[in-house]
């Protein structure tokens, strides 16, 4: 192919090398429609396809978000109710989802299997261009919103998946804050609207508005098609043209993003967020100073601002962060640089503050920024932040997300606004400009340009209100009551009939003919042999080394597992405290700020955590570890080990001011994370009811939050006690006895590691401390944890090993079945929750959970009915194969080098052999209908234990008080 060639209806516009992604970049344009195609050609077998549309909302109804959900509810070729779910059940995808942004909607898929990849592309393309949502109003009712009433005497209510999702999302104060910030900064453009949907506005969306939005924006002329990986591009272009694009004509789509005119001066905005009536309001206000900063097309300044954000606000050495913390304006400082939009914004946020500190906050930020711009930024600080960004760009490790997917999302930062998609991926020249900027005043210039001289700014306060939630619910009840009162008997009957018809549709099984339209792979497409997790057990002067020989492109991944069984039970809160603050305090030779700079200059990051491991098949086993993870370029390994040695053996915990700051930041972070990760809190509490390892781990959750609160309430006494306990703990934890290393790198580099590790090893304590016994009272507390949330997170579980059952790989198939069949239908589709999930672990833990769920008792009833569903489960051979293939998609997630080493070490620590993994794999691949049914008794016995925990709204939990052993505020 050469420039200007016509290939199956596409004109070759541009070709260029893109070494940063090991790719050749191609740009095509479809002549008939104007559809754009960006292809990154390389040898990665994890192929990615995405089709995106520019979808700027013009109101708060969430229409862009609801259309995103609804396109995947059946189409011309695939006339099922839920083709998306059928795909998940039976695909080997490595990614399958859709995402709504403030100005675009993306539909990406990825797979390593060629046939599967083509199937995914076809289902998604048919979904976006020919969705059933245009003709079937029940899809808007289900995915968006509808009035719900089953008998004439009942009150009218709202329900719908997105409606409930956004009730949950905007219950979290940080999500609500970001929404209010955008409204304040962009009052005249699309960015001023909530693209996800505001629950108060979602019921204004009509079927006509819904279809009109799709008609306007979901057209090839408004599309951005992205392909990545080792694939035949000419074949894909021929397919795109023949099957889809050639059936459309080029049109003008008015989807351009208007620019918000700059403000002449700073604007002040005051908003509120709801807290429960029992929650304290003192020092719970958020203060945010926000600027619109340039345009995403300016890729140089965007990287400059990313580095500046880290240097100013996201490291312990950050001078602006330090100034705000020192001034006691709030307990924690955060920032948000949102660049996935034409006009990005930059926010500095102080949490746990008061409204009357807003002026002081503003003045201090501006004065500190002026001082930094005038006097110059610290060279070492800037080098450290730049080094960390460069490390991450070169590493390209995005965990389980395919890197091709991340490249595609990044490309939209310029492509969506008519820039070149590859430009944002070319980081070498920009990095060079950043390095030169260290010497030519570039970063100081950024501060002046975007902060000091920029009047397009808002100072926003978000204050807690104990009455807001109740007032909002009462207002909605009155509004719905008035609506019902205004309805005629016939109109009420019509809503009852519509509710019934929707439920009947949701409960009706798919026809065999419809199911047969979804392409399914063959079981023979899946290898029977478990993938190797490379691991050698080595000995390094008495230290066990779990070595994984993997190509890491010069990066060393090191994890240290120190034995935490030496910590006495009463000192566990202090061990968790140590894991949170170590590395953030002074050492004998360096201040904590200097340490932060050294870490960012020489490494790709160091993290500290306490984790517990159970032995395979032993539910009451508990092997707690103090886990330190680090990554570093191999030539910087000596600096990493020197830094770790200094932190572990020379840290000073005597600075009262610093310890108080860290405790207050920890408290603020836990309060924010609770709303965002409530399902994880529920799962942790349940595990803590049921097993020693679960209880040990849960001590780092809600009990640790209480410990931090009490420490701060009597700080001087807390400091005194901490000094005594830390003096005892440090030698017990950072001890050479029973230390285990996980090391991932090339075998040819191992000797260099062994040579430099010896000095580190010698500095550790060598006294052998005895293992401690933990005496937990394990009992089902069945807590109802109340909050201001408008939705619930419902959890129920038990330990099946303790009930006499054994683990089998068939349980993983059951996980897929429940998540995408029974729970999907009952809890998401019919119940209106955002999601529901289940897990069966080798340690015996069985967990059912719901996420952003409007219900409570109804969801527990669904859980209670699971055994009957399993007992009566029926599936054709084809459907059974589909569930197995979908299960294997999760089992065979492609692993990055770091993930391979981590998985190998985890299996070793838990005593999971390759034979165990092979047996489980074969049980999955050989699973049949009767194997699923055989698990009904296990699930029934687990549910009979009545072990549950729920986080949710105060009113809903109090209405269901009888199911709980204890009802209390979550915080």
């Amino acid at each position: 192919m050469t420039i200007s060639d016509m290939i199956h209806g596409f004109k070759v516009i541009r070709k260029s090398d893109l070494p940063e992604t090991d790719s050749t970049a191609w740009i095509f344009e479809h002549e008939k429609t104007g559809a754009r195609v960006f292809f990154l050609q390389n040898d990665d077998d994890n192929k990615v396809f995405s089709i995106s549309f520019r979808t700027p909302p013009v109101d708060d109804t969430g229409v862009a978000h609801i259309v995103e959900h609804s396109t995947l509810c059946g189409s011309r070729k695939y006339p099922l109710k839920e083709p998306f779910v059928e795909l998940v059940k039976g695909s080997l995808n490595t990614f399958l989802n859709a995402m709504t942004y403030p100005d675009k909607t993306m539909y990406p898929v990825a797979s390593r299997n060629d046939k599967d990849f083509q199937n995914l592309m076809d289902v998604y393309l048919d979904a976006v261009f020919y969705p059933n949502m245009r003709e079937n109003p029940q899809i808007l009712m289900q995915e968006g919103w509808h009035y719900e009433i089953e008998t004439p005497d009942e009150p009218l209510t709202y329900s719908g998946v997105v409606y409930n999702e956004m009730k949950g999302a905007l219950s979290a104060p940080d999500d609500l804050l970001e929404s209010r910030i955008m409204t304040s900064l962009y009052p005249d453009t699309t960015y001023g609207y909530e693209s996800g949907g505001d629950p108060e506005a979602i019921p204004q969306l009509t079927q006509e508005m819904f279809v009109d939005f799709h008609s306007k924006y979901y057209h090839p002329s408004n599309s951005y098609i992205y392909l990545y990986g080792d694939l035949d591009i000419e074949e894909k272009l021929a397919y795109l043209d023949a099957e889809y694009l050639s059936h459309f004509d080029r049109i003008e789509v008015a989807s351009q993003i208007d620019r918000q005119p700059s403000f002449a001066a700073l604007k002040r905005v005051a908003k509120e967020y709801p807290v429960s009536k029992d929650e304290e309001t003192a020092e719970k206000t958020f203060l945010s100073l926000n600027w619109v900063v340039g345009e995403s097309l300016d890729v140089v300044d965007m990287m400059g601002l990313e580095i500046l954000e880290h240097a100013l606000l996201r490291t312990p050495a950050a001078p602006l962060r330090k100034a705000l913390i020192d001034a006691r304006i709030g307990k924690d400082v955060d920032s948000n640089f949102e660049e996935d939009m034409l006009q990005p914004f930059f926010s500095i946020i102080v949490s746990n503050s008061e409204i009357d500190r807003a002026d002081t906050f503003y003045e201090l930020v501006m004065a500190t920024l002026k001082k930094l711009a005038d006097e110059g930024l610290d060279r070492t600080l800037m080098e450290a932040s730049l080094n960390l960004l460069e490390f991450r760009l070169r590493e390209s490790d995005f965990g389980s997300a395919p890197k091709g997917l991340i490249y595609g999302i990044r490309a939209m930062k310029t492509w969506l606004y008519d820039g070149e998609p590859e430009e944002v991926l070319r980081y070498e020249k920009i990095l060079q400009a950043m390095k030169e900027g260290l010497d030519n005043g570039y970063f100081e210039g950024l501060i002046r340009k975007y902060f000091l001289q920029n009047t397009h700014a808002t100072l926003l306060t978000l204050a807690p209100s104990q009455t807001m939630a109740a007032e909002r619910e009462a207002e909605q009840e009155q509004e719905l009551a008035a609506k019902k009162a205004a309805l005629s008997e016939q109109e009420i009957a019509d809503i009852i009939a519509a509710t019934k018809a929707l439920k009947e549709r949701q409960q009706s099984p798919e026809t065999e003919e419809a199911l047969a339209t979804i392409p399914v792979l063959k079981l023979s497409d899946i290898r029977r042999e478990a993938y190797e997790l490379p691991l050698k057990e080595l000995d390094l002067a008495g230290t066990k080394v779990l070595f994984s020989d993997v190509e890491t492109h010069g990066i060393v991944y090191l994890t240290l597992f120190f034995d935490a069984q030496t910590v006495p039970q009463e000192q566990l809160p202090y061990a968790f405290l140590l894991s949170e603050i170590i590395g953030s305090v002074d050492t004998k030779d360096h201040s904590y700020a200097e340490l932060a700079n050294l870490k960012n200059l020489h490494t790709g990051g160091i993290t500290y955590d306490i984790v517990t491991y159970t032995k395979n098949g032993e539910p009451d086993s508990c092997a707690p570890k103090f886990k330190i993870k680090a990554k570093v370029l191999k030539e910087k390994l000596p600096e990493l080990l020197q830094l770790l040695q200094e932190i572990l053996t020379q840290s000073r915990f005597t600075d009262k001011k610093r310890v108080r700051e860290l405790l207050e930041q920890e408290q603020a972070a836990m309060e924010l994370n609770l709303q965002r990760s409530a399902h994880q809190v529920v799962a942790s509490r349940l595990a803590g009811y049921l097993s020693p390892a679960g209880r040990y781990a849960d001590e780092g959750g809600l009990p640790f939050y209480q410990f931090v609160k009490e420490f701060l309430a009597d700080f001087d006494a807390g400091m005194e006690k901490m000094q005594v306990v830390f003096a005892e703990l440090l030698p017990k934890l950072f001890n050479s006895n029973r230390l285990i290393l996980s090391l991932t790198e090339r075998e040819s580099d191992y000797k260099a590691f062994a040579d430099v590790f010896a000095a580190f090893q010698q500095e550790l304590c060598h006294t052998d401390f005895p293992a401690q016994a933990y005496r937990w009272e394990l009992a089902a507390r069945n807590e109802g944890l109340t909050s201001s949330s408008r939705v619930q997170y419902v959890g129920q579980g038990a330990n099946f090993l303790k009930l006499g059952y054994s683990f089998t790989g068939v349980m993983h198939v059951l996980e897929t079945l429940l998540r995408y069949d029974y729970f999907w239908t009952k809890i998401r589709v019919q119940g209106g929750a955002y999601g529901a999930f289940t897990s069966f672990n080798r340690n015996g833990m069985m967990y059912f959970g719901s996420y952003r769920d409007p219900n409570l008792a109804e969801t527990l009833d669904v859980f209670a009915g699971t055994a009957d569903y399993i007992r009566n489960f029926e599936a054709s051979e084809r459907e059974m194969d589909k569930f197995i293939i979908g299960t294997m998609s999760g089992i065979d997630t492609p692993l990055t080098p770091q993930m391979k080493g981590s998985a190998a070490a985890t299996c070793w620590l838990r005593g999971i052999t390759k034979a165990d993994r092979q047996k489980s794999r074969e049980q999955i691949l050989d699973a049949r209908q009767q194997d699923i049914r055989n698990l009904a008794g296990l699930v029934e016995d687990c549910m009979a234990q009545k072990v549950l925990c729920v986080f949710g709204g105060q009113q809903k939990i109090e209405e269901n008080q009888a199911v709980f052993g204890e009802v209390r505020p979550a915080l």
Side-chain angles (χ1 to χ4, degrees):
M1 294 185 295
T2 57
I3 306 307
S4 297
D5 278 1
M6 290 298 299
I7 313 288
H8 304 296
F10 290 86
K11 185 176 182 180
V12 182
I13 304 295
R14 193 165 61 251
K15 173 191 177 184
S16 60
D17 289 332
L18 192 56
E20 290 89 342
T21 63
D22 298 318
S23 306
T24 300
W26 296 85
I27 304 288
F28 305 90
E29 182 179 294
H30 190 247
E31 281 283 282
K32 188 167 187 276
T33 64
R36 309 151 187 87
V37 175
F38 176 39
F39 171 46
L40 288 180
Q41 179 182 24
N42 52 58
D43 60 4
D44 192 341
D45 71 343
N46 198 3
K47 296 168 286 294
V48 179
F49 161 80
S50 174
I51 183 164
S52 304
F53 302 92
R54 202 153 56 187
T55 52
V58 294
D59 56 38
D60 290 322
T61 60
V63 59
H65 188 187
I66 297 168
V67 169
E68 175 233 301
H69 278 238
S70 301
T71 55
L72 299 171
C73 292
S75 66
R76 175 193 62 174
K77 282 191 194 177
Y78 307 103
L80 301 94
K81 293 177 294 180
E82 303 276 357
F84 171 77
V85 177
E86 296 305 321
L87 270 181
V88 175
K89 289 177 190 173
S91 160
L92 287 173
N93 74 83
T94 55
F95 188 87
L96 181 71
N97 212 330
M99 297 95 83
T100 303
Y101 290 80
D103 56 12
K104 63 181 173 285
T105 309
M106 299 186 71
Y107 294 87
V109 296
S111 180
R112 300 168 79 182
N113 180 286
D114 291 343
K115 183 180 172 188
D116 187 42
F117 183 67
Q118 182 61 41
N119 294 343
L120 294 170
M121 280 181 66
D122 198 61
V123 173
Y124 264 46
L125 284 162
D126 206 65
V128 297
F129 289 128
Y130 301 104
N132 289 347
M133 52 157 270
R134 297 178 58 85
E135 286 78 40
N136 187 340
Q138 289 181 320
I139 293 174
L140 171 60
M141 291 174 68
Q142 174 179 296
E143 296 300 318
W145 78 278
H146 62 275
Y147 290 117
E148 185 151 310
I149 186 170
E150 294 188 0
T151 67
D153 301 330
E154 288 179 351
L156 203 60
T157 59
Y158 293 127
S159 192
V161 172
V162 171
Y163 176 77
N164 290 316
E165 176 190 349
M166 295 310 296
K167 278 176 75 174
L170 297 181
S171 289
D174 50 341
D175 284 344
L176 187 62
L177 176 64
E178 182 171 344
S179 181
R180 299 298 179 254
I181 287 170
M182 290 184 67
T183 302
S184 77
L185 286 172
Y186 309 96
D188 307 311
T189 76
T190 189
Y191 295 134
Y193 298 110
E194 176 53 69
S195 62
D198 186 319
E200 314 311 313
I202 288 172
Q204 295 164 17
L205 180 65
T206 66
Q207 177 72 14
E208 182 183 11
M209 293 160 63
F210 180 59
V211 172
D212 284 351
F213 190 89
H214 182 271
S215 298
K216 182 174 183 179
Y217 296 125
Y218 281 65
H219 189 281
S221 299
N222 189 44
S223 69
Y224 301 78
I225 297 168
Y226 169 73
L227 287 154
Y228 167 93
D230 184 8
L231 52 83
D232 182 341
I233 188 60
E234 293 198 27
E235 174 204 301
K236 295 298 181 227
L237 293 177
Y239 155 75
L240 285 167
D241 175 67
E243 293 295 320
Y244 291 97
L245 303 183
S246 64
H247 303 286
F248 295 84
D249 294 314
R250 188 186 290 248
I251 62 169
E252 283 295 320
V253 179
S255 66
Q256 72 282 351
I257 311 299
D258 293 329
R259 288 165 171 82
Q260 172 65 48
S262 290
F263 299 166
L266 173 82
K267 293 189 177 182
R268 294 168 184 268
V269 180
K271 297 290 181 182
E272 291 185 327
Y273 73 95
V275 296
S276 67
K277 63 187 180 186
D278 298 327
E279 204 171 321
E280 298 170 6
T281 58
E283 294 199 322
K284 286 294 178 69
T285 294
F286 294 84
L287 310 177
S288 71
L289 181 55
N290 321 287
W291 295 268
V292 171
V293 286
E295 295 196 355
S296 61
L297 292 163
D298 185 345
V299 294
V300 175
D301 277 6
M302 292 306 104
M303 185 183 284
L305 286 165
E306 192 175 345
I307 293 165
L308 200 57
E309 180 194 19
H310 185 267
L312 293 177
L313 292 152
R314 289 196 166 269
T315 162
L320 183 50
R321 176 186 179 84
K322 188 173 187 304
L324 290 166
I325 293 291
D326 285 349
R328 310 282 299 155
I329 288 171
K331 290 182 180 173
D332 202 4
V333 177
D334 200 0
S335 61
N336 183 16
F337 175 38
E338 181 51 71
E339 52 180 321
D340 280 303
M341 45 203 297
L342 175 60
Q343 291 178 285
F345 70 88
F346 192 112
S347 295
I348 299 168
I349 301 159
V350 169
S351 58
N352 295 78
S353 187
E354 295 287 3
I355 288 179
D356 59 13
R357 299 176 195 169
D359 286 339
T360 307
F361 164 60
Y362 172 73
E363 288 158 9
L364 180 59
V365 168
M366 300 306 283
T368 305
L369 288 172
K370 184 176 187 308
K371 185 170 188 283
L372 291 168
D374 291 347
E375 298 178 7
L377 291 152
D378 180 79
R379 168 80 185 219
T380 307
L381 168 71
M382 298 309 298
E383 281 184 354
S385 293
L386 175 52
N387 175 76
L388 191 63
L389 177 65
E390 182 174 1
F391 187 103
R392 288 174 180 164
L393 285 170
R394 296 195 189 287
E395 183 187 27
S396 290
D397 184 340
F398 308 107
S400 59
K403 62 183 177 183
L405 167 74
I406 304 302
Y407 295 151
I409 292 172
R410 285 181 180 169
M412 297 303 288
K413 292 179 184 183
T414 49
W415 199 21
L416 194 75
Y417 316 115
D418 306 319
E420 297 175 1
E422 66 271 41
E423 205 57 34
V424 75
L425 301 173
R426 293 189 193 284
Y427 59 74
E428 291 292 1
K429 283 186 179 178
I430 312 176
L431 281 174
Q432 187 55 41
M434 297 299 107
K435 289 170 182 175
E436 291 167 3
L438 295 172
D439 296 315
N440 63 22
Y442 169 72
F443 290 100
E444 290 80 0
L446 284 184
I447 292 175
R448 292 188 189 93
K449 178 179 179 180
Y450 290 118
F451 305 133
L452 297 177
Q453 297 160 6
N454 183 2
T455 56
H456 194 160
T458 60
L459 178 60
L460 187 145
T461 60
L462 191 71
S465 167
Q466 292 175 319
T467 60
M468 184 179 176
E471 287 167 355
R472 186 173 54 192
E473 295 304 319
E475 191 177 316
Q476 187 177 93
E477 284 177 17
Q478 289 167 9
E479 178 189 305
L480 284 164
K483 170 73 180 173
K484 185 184 176 189
L487 295 172
S488 66
E489 284 187 18
Q490 184 56 51
E491 286 170 325
I492 291 173
D494 289 345
I495 294 174
I496 292 171
T499 302
K500 183 182 178 189
L502 178 62
K503 291 191 183 306
E504 286 174 352
R505 177 180 186 270
Q506 291 167 338
Q507 290 171 3
S508 65
E510 302 281 13
T511 66
E512 287 300 319
E513 293 79 14
L515 287 170
T517 64
I518 292 288
V520 179
L521 300 176
K522 296 183 174 65
L523 284 184
S524 57
D525 290 326
I526 300 173
R527 60 182 271 167
R528 284 193 71 84
E529 186 184 353
Y531 284 92
E532 194 68 45
L533 291 175
L535 186 130
K536 283 185 188 173
E537 288 184 53
L538 304 174
D539 181 88
L540 189 51
T543 294
K544 173 84 69 180
V545 179
L546 308 176
F547 181 72
S548 294
D549 178 12
V550 178
E551 176 55 68
T552 62
H553 303 289
I555 296 173
V556 178
Y557 296 102
L558 173 65
T559 305
L560 297 91
F561 297 97
F562 290 102
D563 182 16
Q565 185 88 36
T566 54
V567 180
Q569 186 167 331
E570 66 277 8
Q571 293 182 354
L572 279 181
Y574 293 93
F576 282 103
L577 177 61
L578 181 65
S579 74
E580 295 295 336
I581 69 174
I582 195 161
S584 298
V585 297
D586 297 346
T587 62
K588 185 166 72 72
D589 296 329
H590 293 99
S591 70
Y592 68 84
E594 290 168 337
L595 281 179
N597 282 340
L598 288 169
K599 180 185 78 171
N600 293 330
L601 266 175
H602 297 307
T603 82
I606 305 172
T607 60
Y608 309 86
D609 197 8
I610 292 181
V611 293
T612 55
Y613 295 92
T614 50
K615 280 291 181 186
N616 186 16
E618 300 176 20
D620 286 329
S621 61
C622 178
K625 304 291 181 188
F626 194 107
K627 178 179 173 183
I628 303 176
K629 285 180 67 176
K631 50 190 174 183
V632 67
L633 293 171
K634 63 183 179 183
E635 56 269 23
K636 292 273 195 169
L637 189 59
E639 286 87 345
L640 167 66
L641 290 171
Q642 173 59 41
L643 192 58
L644 281 175
Q645 174 194 318
E646 181 177 339
I647 290 169
L648 300 188
T649 64
Q650 298 179 25
S651 287
R652 301 286 182 259
F653 300 94
T654 52
D655 183 343
K656 284 188 172 185
K657 175 177 172 293
R658 182 60 181 158
V659 172
R660 184 190 288 273
E661 288 169 3
L662 291 169
L663 284 168
E664 288 179 344
Q665 289 165 27
E666 181 64 22
Q667 181 185 356
M670 291 177 82
E671 288 169 356
L672 272 184
N673 286 337
L674 184 62
Q675 289 278 15
R676 193 184 297 127
S677 308
H679 58 301
Q680 294 172 354
V681 172
V682 166
S684 177
R685 295 301 290 166
L686 280 174
Y689 300 163
L690 294 167
S691 72
R695 182 60 180 276
Y696 191 117
D698 187 56
E699 288 297 303
L702 287 183
F704 180 61
Y705 172 79
Q706 288 303 128
F707 168 79
V708 170
K709 269 186 82 170
E710 289 163 13
F711 192 131
L712 286 166
D714 190 359
F715 183 75
D716 287 338
M719 271 296 288
E720 198 174 314
K721 177 77 183 290
M722 185 190 79
Q723 305 289 330
V724 174
V725 175
F726 274 15
E728 296 175 14
L729 275 186
L730 287 162
K732 290 177 180 175
L733 282 171
F734 305 132
N735 190 297
S736 63
N737 290 287
R738 295 175 295 283
L739 168 63
I740 298 169
L741 300 185
S742 166
L743 181 67
T744 304
E745 61 174 355
R746 292 316 321 239
E747 189 159 22
S748 54
D749 295 321
Y750 178 74
K751 184 179 183 305
F753 172 81
D755 291 343
V756 296
F757 183 72
F760 171 82
Q761 201 175 16
Q762 286 307 308
E763 293 300 319
L764 299 172
C765 177
H766 301 292
T767 306
D768 195 356
F769 293 95
Q772 299 291 308
Y774 301 115
R775 294 174 178 80
W776 309 112
E777 268 188 50
L778 298 179
R781 292 177 62 178
N782 290 6
E783 293 160 301
L785 304 171
T786 62
S787 74
S788 60
S789 177
R790 301 179 76 185
V791 289
Q792 281 61 247
Y793 302 79
V794 182
Q796 189 168 356
N799 192 292
F800 58 83
L801 291 181
K802 292 187 179 186
L803 297 176
Y805 295 94
S806 301
F807 174 81
T808 165
V810 179
M811 291 172 177
H812 290 314
V813 184
L814 181 57
E815 288 172 356
T816 305
L817 245 171
L818 294 180
R819 183 168 188 176
Y820 294 112
D821 194 78
Y822 179 64
F823 285 175
W824 184 277
T825 302
K826 294 289 186 183
I827 296 175
R828 181 184 164 106
V829 172
Q830 294 173 250
Y834 185 55
F837 40 85
T838 180
S839 65
F840 293 82
N841 196 299
R842 286 180 181 272
N843 65 13
M845 184 67 189
M846 187 201 82
Y847 173 61
F848 294 165
S850 70
Y851 185 79
R852 291 180 180 170
D853 188 347
N855 301 310
L856 196 164
E858 298 87 344
T859 297
L860 291 172
D861 286 344
V862 173
F863 292 163
T866 306
D868 284 342
Y869 163 81
I870 297 169
R871 192 172 284 114
N872 298 310
F873 171 70
E874 288 186 10
S876 66
E877 288 292 306
R878 183 179 186 276
E879 286 298 294
M880 198 66 221
D881 287 354
K882 198 157 71 177
F883 285 120
I884 291 167
I885 292 165
T887 301
M888 291 309 301
S889 165
I891 299 292
D892 286 346
T893 299
L895 302 180
T896 63
Q898 180 174 214
M899 291 165 72
K900 284 178 184 173
S902 177
T906 298
C907 284
W908 187 91
L909 287 162
R910 295 194 57 199
I912 299 169
T913 64
K914 185 176 181 185
D916 292 328
R917 292 192 296 114
Q918 183 64 42
K919 180 181 178 183
S920 173
R921 189 180 188 90
E922 290 171 1
Q923 288 168 335
I924 294 169
L925 292 170
D926 296 336
R928 293 292 99 191
Q929 178 177 285
Q930 190 56 47
D931 298 309
I932 297 294
R933 289 179 173 178
N934 291 344
L935 294 172
L938 178 152
V939 171
E940 189 167 57
D941 285 353
C942 284
M943 290 294 96
Q945 306 305 303
K946 300 287 185 190
V947 181
L948 60 96
C949 180
V950 179
F951 173 98
Q954 188 163 357
Q955 182 178 343
K956 181 70 77 170
I957 285 178
E958 287 175 352
E959 285 171 2
N960 291 274
Q961 181 123 16
V963 305
F964 298 109
E966 180 182 346
V967 171
R968 63 181 180 85
L971 295 178

